[in-house]
Amino acid sequence: MRRGILAGAGAVGLLWGTQAEPSARLDVLFASGAHLSGLLAGYGILVMLLLMARVPAVEHGVGADRLARWHARGGRYVLMLVGAHLVLALCAYAAYTGTDLLRSAGRLLGYGGILAAAVGTLAFAAAGVSSVRAARARISQETWRALHFLTYLGAGLAFAHQLVGPDVAGGPLTVWAWAMLHASVAVLIVWYRGVVPVRQALRHGLYVVEVRDESPDVVSVVMRGTGLDALRAEPGQFLRWRFLRRRLWHTSLPFSLSAPVRDDTVRITVKALGVHSRRVRRLRPGTRVLATGPFGAMTPHRRTRRKVLLLAGGVGITPMRVLFETLPAEPGDLTLLYRAGNAAQLVLREELEAIAAARGAGLHYLLGPSDASFDPLAPQALRNLVPDLAAHDVFLCGPGAMAHAATASLIRAGVPEEHIHTEQFSF
């Protein structure tokens, strides 16, 4: 997919190149730069929206966590392109008319298309500023999501601005192609973020059956519906859950299945890490649930070797627990390592031990604080627990810092990077 995105950017650059006018005049040079940055910004906006459209084929192939990181990183580039387009266009107009920048800005805002672009820029800026780490820590999740909805307004206004610009409006074929790209992305967003969740809700009729404590800060939510096999949720995947109760209904929360789908019953296991996950533990039986998905690329299809190591940290045990039960393996070919600060933080322990005994699989708890002198995830420590470690496929899920440290240790221990399959849910 990354190659496709870069190829699209190249096509946009080619479109600009066919229309660029060679000139040494200052206003033309500024205008040429404004046209290129504007086209790339418009294309980048489409890519950012596509990455978060929740298209299953895209999320299965790339991984939802990676898409989120691409979206966050790409959003910064798009904002820089929008800013560059704004400055260059203003400088071009000032150089062409021989006026100062302030007076030029006032005149440009008198044009409807320019005014729409300015409002769209403000919408993107609001979403971008709210995503800065310092700002994100000070605003609620609801406010952050509301500000991000402004990107749809910004995209619409940017599209209106582009249709009257010389680069897109220069020919009917360009207008048609640009409009079709926007229409396609819009349809995908409406379908997968709007229609599909409603259709699945009507089809499956999910509701909460039970909420039970697994540890002081972890609960399991058991839900029941009809025809849940049609979800086709694979081990290791997650769904986005919307619980229809006050202060939760407007937020879609990504949680992995912590048990296989059986008898039209599904289960998730949630740690109270934020405001919304803390509210989940106060759910009551009978609460209606909308589920979208499944998503995620950390599935058995990634497996390429006979022996498999599952490595979990914290609540990352949830997808590992399902894989531990369902991955085809002979006795001795499957091992689970579970990293936690202490024994009290281990969740689903009885289930894991029952699965290990029934399947003849290895199960080891790696306990201790992260700042202890002994690191249970050090390369030699991992090799001691799994002597033929380099011959394993590794499925890894845990907090960001733990996942990065474990990946580095696995590589140093001889596991090829292409055999380490990971997905993080900190996005």
Side-chain angles (χ1 to χ4, degrees):
M1 183 173 181
R2 184 178 296 174
R3 290 177 184 155
I5 293 172
L6 293 175
V12 170
L14 183 62
L15 172 64
W16 167 81
T18 59
Q19 300 180 9
E21 298 180 9
S23 174
R25 284 172 45 190
L26 187 60
D27 62 324
V28 175
L29 291 175
F30 278 133
S32 184
H35 293 163
L36 177 59
S37 57
L39 282 171
L40 289 173
Y43 171 73
I45 291 167
L46 279 179
V47 172
M48 294 303 100
L49 293 176
L50 177 62
L51 292 180
M52 292 291 100
R54 297 178 184 171
V55 180
V58 175
E59 296 215 11
H60 293 173
V62 178
D65 61 332
R66 186 178 298 172
L67 286 177
R69 290 195 294 274
W70 287 2
H71 177 80
R73 190 180 303 119
R76 292 192 287 271
Y77 294 137
V78 169
L79 284 175
M80 286 190 288
L81 286 168
V82 170
H85 174 69
L86 174 66
V87 171
L88 290 169
L90 183 58
C91 290
Y93 186 80
Y96 179 74
T97 59
T99 56
D100 59 75
L101 294 178
L102 186 60
R103 191 171 301 171
S104 295
R107 290 181 180 179
L108 285 173
L109 290 175
Y111 296 97
I114 301 295
L115 181 60
V119 175
T121 299
L122 290 175
F124 287 124
V129 170
S130 70
S131 296
V132 175
R133 185 171 299 177
R136 183 77 182 270
R138 288 177 168 81
I139 62 176
S140 67
Q141 187 78 356
E142 290 87 349
T143 302
W144 181 82
R145 289 181 182 277
L147 289 172
H148 262 64
F149 271 111
L150 291 176
T151 57
Y152 294 120
L153 171 64
L157 293 173
F159 177 60
H161 170 66
Q162 292 155 9
L163 285 183
V164 299
D167 299 297
V168 174
L173 182 60
T174 308
V175 172
W176 177 85
W178 204 250
M180 287 301 297
L181 281 174
H182 282 75
S184 299
V185 173
V187 168
L188 289 172
I189 291 171
V190 171
W191 182 257
Y192 287 110
R193 299 198 67 148
V195 176
V196 168
V198 173
R199 186 181 66 174
Q200 288 187 331
L202 295 174
R203 180 179 185 181
H204 300 300
L206 270 173
Y207 62 95
V208 175
V209 176
E210 179 188 7
V211 179
R212 61 171 176 261
D213 291 333
E214 301 288 357
S215 76
D217 59 349
V218 177
V219 297
S220 284
V221 181
V222 181
M223 293 161 281
R224 184 169 295 138
T226 56
L228 296 188
D229 287 340
L231 288 172
R232 297 181 180 178
E234 297 183 57
Q237 290 190 306
F238 69 96
L239 290 89
R240 289 186 168 91
W241 309 88
R242 192 181 298 272
F243 300 98
L244 302 185
R245 59 156 288 174
R246 190 172 67 89
R247 306 177 75 183
L248 269 178
W249 64 269
H250 51 76
T251 302
S252 178
L253 302 170
F255 296 126
S256 299
L257 297 177
S258 61
V261 178
R262 290 195 185 95
D263 301 323
D264 280 336
T265 298
V266 293
R267 187 186 73 184
I268 59 175
T269 300
V270 180
K271 184 173 183 177
L273 294 172
V275 174
H276 294 98
S277 53
R278 285 195 293 269
R279 290 171 181 164
V280 168
R281 72 180 308 131
R282 296 195 291 271
L283 290 172
R284 295 290 179 264
T287 301
R288 292 290 176 177
V289 185
L290 304 184
T292 309
F295 301 107
M298 192 176 60
T299 67
H301 293 296
R302 287 193 171 189
R303 180 182 183 179
T304 59
R305 293 176 163 186
R306 178 172 61 87
K307 295 188 175 184
V308 176
L309 170 64
L310 307 176
L311 180 51
V315 79
I317 190 61
T318 54
M320 297 294 103
R321 181 252 180 260
V322 186
L323 288 166
F324 195 44
E325 179 179 351
T326 59
L327 269 180
E330 296 296 323
D333 288 345
L334 182 63
T335 303
L336 170 62
L337 304 183
Y338 185 1
R339 179 79 172 95
N342 53 61
Q345 295 178 4
L346 298 173
V347 297
L348 308 176
R349 182 172 183 172
E350 292 183 2
E351 295 181 18
L352 296 173
E353 292 173 355
I355 293 169
R359 305 198 64 189
L363 173 62
H364 304 279
Y365 302 125
L366 312 181
L367 305 179
S370 58
D371 58 353
S373 57
F374 172 71
D375 180 10
L377 294 177
Q380 189 56 52
L382 292 174
R383 281 194 294 261
N384 290 340
L385 290 170
V386 188
D388 53 348
L389 178 60
H392 285 65
D393 261 324
V394 180
F395 289 79
L396 167 62
C397 187
M402 173 265 177
H404 288 305
T407 299
S409 288
L410 288 165
I411 293 172
R412 290 200 302 272
V415 181
E417 190 171 0
E418 61 269 21
H419 292 295
I420 302 173
H421 317 295
T422 182
E423 202 154 40
Q424 299 167 30
F425 299 99
S426 57
F427 55 90

